[in-house]
Amino acid sequence: MTTTTASGAQTIDRLLGAAAGAFADKGFHATTTRDIASRAGLSPSGVYVHFSSKEDLLHALSHSGHEVALELVQSAAASPGGPAERLAQIMSGFAQWHADHHEVARVVQYEFPHLTPEHRVDVLALRKQIDSIVRSVLDEGVAAGQFSVDDVHDTALALMSLCIDVARWYSPAISRTPAEIGTTYAALGLRLVAARR
């Protein structure tokens, strides 16, 4: 069994941060392992001590980013209140995460096609879990007469797409904070399902 030392873990974190910045700035194909190593303060060969390829780095970022997003959505869906309150928590948290972590979010959402088929399957499984949680809250809201939704699947897709798109346009230079964006998107989500509390 391989163990990772504290310094090794720090190096991996530096590489992941460097890869997120490089992929977000230049895209997966235009980024070289030399770019990533330079941002991380390592030699190009230093990347391969921890990751077998540039795509392996992309997969590590995508997997960990989706895991964090899944935990966030699970926590929001389990929060107190009825379906409307919990949907608002999901929308607020998911949108805010895409702003707070816009570089990582941009990579995990928009560089997905560059994963190998095996790695796409892995990340898709996490995406399906997120979607399933959102659909379950929508189903509950419809059953309780609180939401007016014609198609739960399409509505879940629209709600999540709204939040994901934040990563595409968000910049720390804009006047709105991630928390303000979360509040706005919570209200948009409730409007989209015609929520009645």
Side-chain angles (χ1 to χ4, degrees), residues 6-39:
S7 64
Q10 289 173 348
T11 302
I12 289 170
D13 286 344
R14 278 185 14 234
L15 282 167
L16 289 171
F23 292 153
D25 288 346
K26 300 173 73 173
F28 177 76
H29 279 309
T31 297
T32 65
T33 52
R34 185 176 293 278
D35 295 329
I36 295 166
S38 176
R39 285 178 183 239

Side-chain angles (χ1 to χ4, degrees), residues 29-65:
H29 279 309
T31 297
T32 65
T33 52
R34 185 176 293 278
D35 295 329
I36 295 166
S38 176
R39 285 178 183 239
L42 299 170
S43 68
S45 62
V47 175
Y48 297 106
V49 172
H50 301 284
F51 297 95
S52 62
S53 66
K54 183 174 72 167
E55 189 277 338
D56 193 30
L57 259 167
L58 176 62
H59 174 243
L61 272 174
S62 297
H63 185 89
S64 63

Side-chain angles (χ1 to χ4, degrees), residues 31 35 43 67 69 76 89 112 123 136 138 168 181 185 191:
T31 297
D35 295 329
S43 68
E67 279 191 324
Q89 286 291 321
F112 174 80
V123 172
S136 70
L138 292 178
R168 180 186 57 79
I181 291 166
Y185 277 63
R191 202 173 306 155

Side-chain angles (χ1 to χ4, degrees), residues 77-114:
S79 62
E85 288 77 16
R86 287 184 283 121
L87 180 61
Q89 286 291 321
I90 290 171
M91 292 295 290
S92 175
F94 204 52
Q96 185 171 339
W97 184 82
H98 279 80
D100 276 328
H101 306 280
H102 59 280
E103 284 189 339
V104 170
R106 193 174 299 148
V107 171
V108 303
Q109 299 297 352
Y110 295 107
E111 300 295 336
F112 174 80
H114 303 303

